[in-house]
């Protein structure tokens, strides 16, 4: 008893010392990072004049990384692979970029850019990726994961039904996370810094035992088992800290430790999971509280603060996962979406712009532009002018920023939400998503017309005789096509959600994200992140059938493989209600059908309109359309108008997308626009002001 009291006293003293100078609140009595931020952060209303450039150490580390690792990786796609060590939180020894790499430490393996095997998701994908990297899989590891240890991928394919396999093979559903980590889970990595791992373990133990007196149930058993895995992962996180000489058991005592401790939580996640999106969350206001305390106390300079953020971003830029060339084709490269969300407003009306919001953007100047971390700004026209103009300037210089509607996100998800992947919002530490790739809504229209036969292969994908194709050679009738499309969507959506339920059931059993979930509340909201691709093609094709004359063209087997379209028809993306309403109806119809189906673990179904990276793959597997879209050509990204079909400018396309009901797509709606700087004005000042104005106008319309 004396020892326990002494330990409790020591822990309390450690927390009191670490929290000195912070405003007290609920966050001291329970795990509540949002409460800590709301009580302690100070909005910054100024401009970027205070910022510092890169230190000599930052430049040395970055130069060493470029010359010795990044340049080599570009020559051969994968720099190196560890083929003998299954990945884990503490599976590797310490690794550093160079002798100067001591500001924020920690690598995924023991060498920069060396990729680790993550076989719990599926051995076949790992083996293929190792082969494509020019190496051989270790036979002992292969035996473990084919004979002794069942993987997530094995389990999924044990359960898959014939119709799921057929839909998957024909690419009407693609990108399913059935062989790799599902992602779209943002651990609240800030908890490691604010509370220390020992406190997090103690709280998880309490939560685990809350149900100990209940009668046995499957939920009861899974709850306790998952909490045991979470506790083990937190213990491994402590060991990871020890590998680098860090005492993560206690709270962070200064700004450098706050960033380092937070990064170690994130590092544990990317060491143990290869999720489709491994976002880092919403960090700037949290970090800024520590920076401001240290700078005001004279313990840190602005140059040192910037050096810390630069060092963290360097680490985020070199996270790598072992994946196949096919995966890279689906996602158009090798992304992992370490999305860092920033800015926006609090629920009580204060801008969440801090000096660290500026410091984050400054990394794109100090280190040069890069896709990771995916910096996402929660935009609102009322944000401080100095910050908005700095965002615009950095966007013009680097093309590296993404913007989301803060008003929409805050209204649905609160002011401590962050983006997982590209557009998927969730409350940090209180919510997770079962990621579900997306269905090819465009291809589903062609299936409706052809009675479930694939327009590319000619194969009957749906069950024989289940759907009647369009008959005759006359012009297509809109009402008939729409009825058949709705019927086909019942089959496609039902197959899709069935696959997602199977995938996430198996993922929880065989590739559970223990450390990410350890950095969540014990009782969380789960969403099922469904999505559609090819919206603009569907809208334009249905508009062509309704307002023009569309005659099908058949091959020798009677399969409709092309269309002859005569006359004009409205085009989605040009602020024409006739086409835009069709697009909104398609999104609403798909979401309504998704909602009718029970979800695994009672997840709340959501939907995204998102194909930022898989446009080429979807297009390659899809035939020609009444809209004029040619077989095998890429889809437009996200909710964008069809490529080359928006003739009324950027504002018109924004207005069209704004007509999609956010309640039908709570997982996010993506619009990608390209503007050349010269098109914004002749001088840099003109370009900045005009881009800021366009963003303000677009998001004002979005809020309306």
């Amino acid at each position: 008893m004396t020892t326990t009291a002494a330990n409790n006293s020591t822990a309390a003293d450690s927390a009191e010392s670490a929290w000195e100078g912070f405003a007290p609140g609920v966050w001291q009595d329970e795990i509540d990072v949002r409460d800590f931020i709301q009580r302690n952060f100070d909005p910054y209303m100024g401009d970027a004049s205070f910022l510092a450039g890169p230190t000599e150490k930052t430049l040395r580390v970055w130069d060493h990384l470029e010359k010795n690792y990044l340049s080599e990786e570009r020559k051969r796609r994968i720099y190196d692979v560890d083929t003998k060590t299954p990945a884990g939180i503490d599976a590797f020894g310490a690794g550093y970029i160079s002798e100067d790499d001591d500001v924020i430490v920690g690598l995924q393996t023991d060498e920069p850019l060396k990729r680790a095997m993550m076989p719990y998701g599926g051995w076949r994908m790992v083996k293929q990726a190792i082969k494509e990297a020019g190496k051989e899989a270790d036979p002992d590891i292969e035996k473990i994961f084919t004979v002794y240890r069942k993987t997530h991928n094995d389990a999924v394919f044990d359960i898959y039904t014939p119709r799921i396999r057929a839909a998957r093979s024909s690419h009407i559903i693609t990108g399913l996370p059935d062989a790799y980590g599902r992602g779209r889970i943002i651990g609240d990595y800030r908890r490691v810094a604010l509370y220390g791992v020992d406190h997090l373990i103690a709280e998880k133990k309490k939560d685990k035992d809350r149900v100990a007196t209940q009668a046995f149930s499957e939920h009861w058993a899974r709850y306790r088992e998952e909490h045991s895995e979470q506790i083990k992962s937190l213990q491994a996180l402590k060991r990871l800290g020890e590998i680098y000489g860090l005492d993560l058991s206690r709270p962070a005592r200064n700004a450098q430790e706050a960033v380092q401790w937070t990064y170690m939580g994130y590092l544990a996640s990317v060491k143990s999971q290869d999720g489709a999106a491994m976002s880092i969350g919403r960090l700037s206001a949290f970090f800024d509280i520590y920076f401001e305390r240290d700078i005001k106390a004279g313990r840190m300079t602005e140059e040192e603060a910037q050096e810390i953020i630069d060092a963290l971003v360097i680490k985020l830029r070199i996270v790598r996962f072992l994946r196949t060339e096919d995966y890279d084709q689906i996602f158009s490269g090798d992304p992992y979406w370490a999305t860092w969300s920033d800015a926006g407003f609090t629920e009580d009306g204060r801008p969440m712009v801090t000096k660290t919001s500026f410091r984050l953007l400054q990394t794109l100047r100090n280190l040069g532009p890069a896709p990771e971390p995916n910096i996402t700004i929660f935009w609102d026209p009322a944000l401080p002018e100095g910050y908005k103009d700095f965002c615009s300037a950095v966007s013009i210089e680097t093309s590296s920023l993404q913007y989301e509607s803060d008003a929409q996100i805050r209204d649905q998800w609160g002011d401590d939400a962050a983006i997982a992947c590209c557009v998927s919002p969730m409350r940090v530490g209180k919510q997770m998503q079962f990621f579900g790739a997306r269905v090819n809504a465009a291809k589903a229209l062609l299936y409706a017309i052809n009675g479930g036969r694939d327009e590319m292969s000619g194969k009957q994908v749906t069950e024989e005789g289940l759907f009647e194709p369009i008959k005759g050679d006359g012009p297509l009738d809109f009402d008939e096509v729409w009825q058949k499309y709705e019927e086909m969507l019942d089959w496609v959506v039902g197959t899709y959600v069935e696959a997602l339920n199977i995938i996430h059931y198996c993922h929880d059993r065989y590739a559970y994200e223990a450390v990410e979930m350890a950095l969540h509340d014990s009782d969380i909201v789960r969403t099922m992140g469904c999505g559609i691709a090819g919206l603009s093609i569907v809208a334009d094709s249905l508009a062509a059938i309704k307002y023009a004359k569309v005659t099908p063209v058949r091959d020798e087997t009677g399969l409709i493989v092309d269309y002859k379209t005569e006359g004009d028809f409205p085009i989605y993306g040009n602020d024409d209600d006739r086409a835009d309403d069709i697009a909104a109806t398609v999104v609403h119809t798909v979401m309504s059908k998704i909602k009718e189906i029970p979800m695994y673990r009672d997840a709340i179904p959501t939907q995204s309109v998102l194909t930022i990276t898989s446009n080429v793959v979807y297009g390659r597997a899809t035939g020609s359309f009444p809209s004029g879209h040619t077989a095998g050509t890429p889809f437009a990204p996200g909710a964008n108008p069809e490529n080359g079909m928006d003739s009324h400018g950027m504002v018109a396309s924004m207005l069209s997308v704004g007509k999609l009901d956010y309640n039908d797509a709570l997982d996010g709606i993506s619009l990608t626009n390209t503007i050349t700087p010269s098109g914004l004005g002749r001088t840099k000042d003109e370009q900045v002001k005009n881009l800021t104005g366009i963003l303000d106008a677009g998001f004002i319309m979005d809020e309306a």
Side-chain angles (χ1 to χ4, degrees):
M1 292 293 291
T2 304
T3 302
T4 302
N7 287 342
N8 289 341
S9 176
T10 301
D13 290 344
S14 178
E16 185 177 345
S17 173
W19 297 343
E20 184 178 356
F22 294 149
V26 173
W27 63 271
Q28 293 174 303
D29 301 317
E30 57 188 70
I31 295 175
D32 191 338
V33 179
R34 178 190 175 274
D35 183 68
F36 169 76
I37 293 170
Q38 295 295 314
R39 293 176 185 275
N40 286 281
F41 93 97
D42 290 319
Y44 176 66
M45 307 301 289
D47 59 20
S49 58
F50 74 93
L51 286 167
T55 63
E56 290 185 6
K57 177 181 285 188
T58 296
L59 293 175
R60 285 197 304 271
V61 172
W62 187 240
D63 184 63
H64 184 87
L65 182 65
E66 168 59 34
K67 288 181 178 177
N68 294 280
Y69 297 100
L70 292 170
S71 61
E72 292 299 312
E73 182 183 56
R74 285 192 289 270
K75 295 176 185 176
R76 53 182 188 261
R77 180 175 169 265
I78 292 180
Y79 175 79
D80 196 10
V81 180
D82 186 302
T83 61
K84 296 185 178 297
T85 312
I89 293 171
D90 58 347
F92 292 92
Y96 301 89
I97 295 171
S98 65
E99 291 182 358
D100 283 331
D101 181 21
D102 59 4
V103 177
I104 298 296
V105 299
L107 300 178
Q108 274 181 296
T109 58
D110 55 0
E111 187 178 0
L113 307 185
K114 181 191 285 186
R115 307 187 189 213
M117 298 181 294
M118 295 189 177
Y120 298 98
W123 175 253
R124 283 173 291 181
M125 187 172 182
V126 168
K127 185 177 181 180
Q128 181 64 26
I130 290 173
K131 180 180 178 181
E132 290 170 357
K135 293 180 174 288
E136 293 293 327
D138 184 282
D140 292 334
I141 301 297
E142 181 169 12
K143 186 174 183 180
I144 290 171
F145 287 96
T146 55
V147 177
Y148 300 115
R149 177 56 158 84
K150 190 171 188 175
T151 68
H152 159 58
N153 182 248
D154 292 333
V156 167
F157 277 85
D158 281 350
I159 303 174
Y160 268 173
T161 62
R163 72 173 184 167
I164 294 174
R165 288 174 177 262
R168 189 180 185 277
S169 298
S170 68
H171 301 288
I172 197 165
I173 303 172
T174 194
L176 293 169
D178 52 17
Y180 59 92
R182 55 192 168 191
R184 302 269 182 101
I185 301 173
I186 308 174
D188 190 355
Y189 307 110
R190 304 166 301 186
R191 296 184 181 192
V192 181
L194 185 57
Y195 297 107
V197 176
D198 278 355
H199 182 68
L200 299 178
I201 290 173
E203 291 300 305
K204 283 295 179 182
K205 287 180 176 178
K206 289 179 187 176
D207 289 341
K208 177 185 175 182
D209 288 338
R210 272 192 304 151
V211 299
T213 59
Q214 295 180 11
F216 177 85
S217 67
E218 184 176 352
H219 169 75
W220 176 92
R222 172 157 52 184
Y223 181 91
R224 284 184 56 79
E225 182 182 25
E226 287 182 349
H227 275 70
S228 289
E229 292 302 310
Q230 292 174 23
I231 291 165
K232 291 174 187 175
S233 74
L234 290 172
Q235 292 166 341
L237 173 57
K238 281 179 62 177
R239 293 194 295 272
L240 172 62
E242 291 166 2
I243 290 170
Y244 286 95
L246 308 172
D247 182 9
L248 301 183
S249 67
R250 59 169 177 79
R253 294 173 178 168
N254 53 49
Q256 186 277 332
E257 286 190 353
V259 176
Q260 178 70 75
W261 268 224
T262 301
Y263 171 63
M264 294 308 280
Y266 181 74
L267 183 62
S269 294
V270 297
K271 277 175 168 285
S272 56
Q273 286 288 333
D274 64 338
M278 299 294 287
S279 301
I280 197 167
R282 195 167 183 172
L283 305 177
S284 293
F286 177 76
F287 287 159
D288 200 74
I289 295 166
Y290 288 87
F291 281 126
E292 287 301 293
R293 184 180 67 168
D294 285 3
I295 290 172
K296 288 176 181 176
R299 295 191 293 264
M300 177 174 287
T301 65
E302 180 57 41
E303 289 74 17
E304 290 168 330
Q306 186 65 53
E307 183 179 63
I308 290 170
I309 296 299
D310 287 346
L312 173 60
V313 168
I314 287 173
K315 291 300 193 300
L316 298 180
R317 289 188 180 188
I318 60 173
V319 169
R320 298 289 186 273
F321 295 108
L322 178 62
R323 288 172 175 158
T324 63
E325 292 174 359
D326 283 347
Y327 180 98
D328 287 358
Q329 288 184 9
I330 291 174
F331 293 102
S332 298
D334 190 19
Y336 74 97
W337 291 288
T339 304
W340 183 322
S341 304
D342 208 346
F345 277 82
T346 63
E347 292 174 8
D348 62 9
R350 292 173 293 157
M352 293 190 72
V353 173
T354 64
K355 285 188 173 181
T356 301
S357 302
F358 282 80
R359 293 175 185 126
L360 174 62
L361 301 187
Q362 181 73 351
T363 65
L364 294 166
R365 288 176 165 175
N366 288 354
L367 305 173
E372 304 288 2
N374 176 9
I375 300 174
T376 298
I377 308 302
F378 287 177
W379 189 273
D380 188 290
L383 286 172
E385 291 298 323
Y387 181 70
K388 291 197 300 181
D389 286 349
F390 190 55
C391 287
S392 294
V394 172
S395 283
I396 291 167
E397 294 169 17
T398 68
S399 299
S400 296
L401 300 184
Q402 175 177 292
Y403 298 93
E404 300 274 355
S405 169
D406 180 61
Q408 294 274 25
I409 290 169
R410 190 176 67 253
D411 182 57
Q412 291 285 344
W413 313 108
D415 59 12
D416 198 37
I419 298 296
C421 189
C422 306
V423 297
S424 304
M426 59 192 66
R427 296 177 189 266
V428 179
K430 299 181 180 301
Q431 181 181 338
M432 60 88 73
Q433 182 194 102
F434 293 136
F435 166 59
R438 52 204 62 88
V439 296
N440 190 334
K443 195 176 183 74
L445 177 62
L446 301 183
Y447 273 34
I449 292 170
N450 278 310
R453 281 183 72 191
D454 190 273
E455 74 285 353
M456 300 293 277
S457 68
K459 293 180 180 179
Q460 183 68 43
V461 174
T462 65
E463 294 84 342
E464 193 76 42
L466 184 60
F467 299 103
E468 282 290 322
I470 296 283
K471 293 182 169 37
D473 296 321
L476 296 176
D477 176 75
F478 177 83
D479 291 336
E480 182 185 14
V481 170
W482 178 257
Q483 180 183 345
K484 288 184 177 295
Y485 187 45
E486 278 220 67
E487 292 170 354
M488 183 56 65
L489 285 175
D490 286 332
W491 186 90
V492 171
V493 169
T495 304
Y496 175 44
V497 174
E498 183 177 63
L500 297 184
N501 284 336
I502 290 168
I503 287 167
H504 295 295
Y505 166 81
C506 295
H507 206 295
D508 276 349
R509 293 191 68 190
Y510 298 101
Y512 181 65
E513 301 92 340
V515 74
E516 289 168 87
M517 297 312 299
L519 299 173
H520 279 72
D521 293 354
S522 290
D523 298 308
I524 62 167
V525 173
R526 295 178 176 86
T527 61
M528 185 72 78
C530 305
I532 60 172
L535 176 63
S536 58
I537 299 173
V538 176
D540 291 350
S541 294
L542 288 171
I545 294 169
K546 186 172 185 177
Y547 294 102
K549 178 182 177 183
V550 176
T551 305
V553 177
R554 300 179 185 273
D555 67 9
E556 63 277 4
T557 71
L559 182 72
I560 297 173
V561 294
D562 206 350
Y563 302 87
K564 181 181 177 182
T565 301
E566 300 172 270
D568 295 329
F569 57 93
I571 301 294
Y572 166 74
N574 293 286
D575 192 25
D576 188 319
D577 287 345
R578 295 174 297 168
D580 298 345
D581 288 351
I582 291 174
T585 299
V586 170
V587 175
H588 178 74
T589 299
V590 174
M591 189 67 239
S592 297
K593 294 180 183 301
I594 290 170
K595 286 179 177 179
E596 293 173 358
I597 305 171
M599 300 286 161
Y600 171 65
R601 294 188 86 163
D602 297 322
I604 300 168
T606 60
Q607 180 177 216
S608 65
V609 186
L610 173 70
T611 46
I612 289 176
T613 56
S614 50
N615 314 331
V616 174
V617 172
Y618 273 114
R620 188 182 301 136
T622 306
S624 295
F625 286 85
S627 64
H629 185 94
T630 307
T633 56
F635 286 7
N640 274 51
E642 177 69 336
N643 297 322
M645 301 286 272
D646 50 331
S647 58
H648 287 58
M650 179 175 169
V651 173
S653 69
M654 296 171 81
L655 286 167
S656 290
V657 173
K659 295 171 191 174
L660 304 178
D661 190 341
Y662 184 57
N663 291 304
D664 289 327
L666 289 174
D667 196 38
I669 302 170
S670 169
L671 173 64
T672 304
N673 276 310
T674 302
I675 310 172
T676 58
S678 60
L680 290 167
R682 289 174 295 178
T683 68
K684 182 69 177 291
D685 286 345
E686 283 182 1
Q687 292 169 3
V688 167
K689 291 298 181 186
N690 286 334
L691 180 55
T692 298
I694 289 171
L695 289 168
D696 281 348
F699 285 107
I700 286 173
M701 290 184 292
D702 182 64
E703 291 173 23

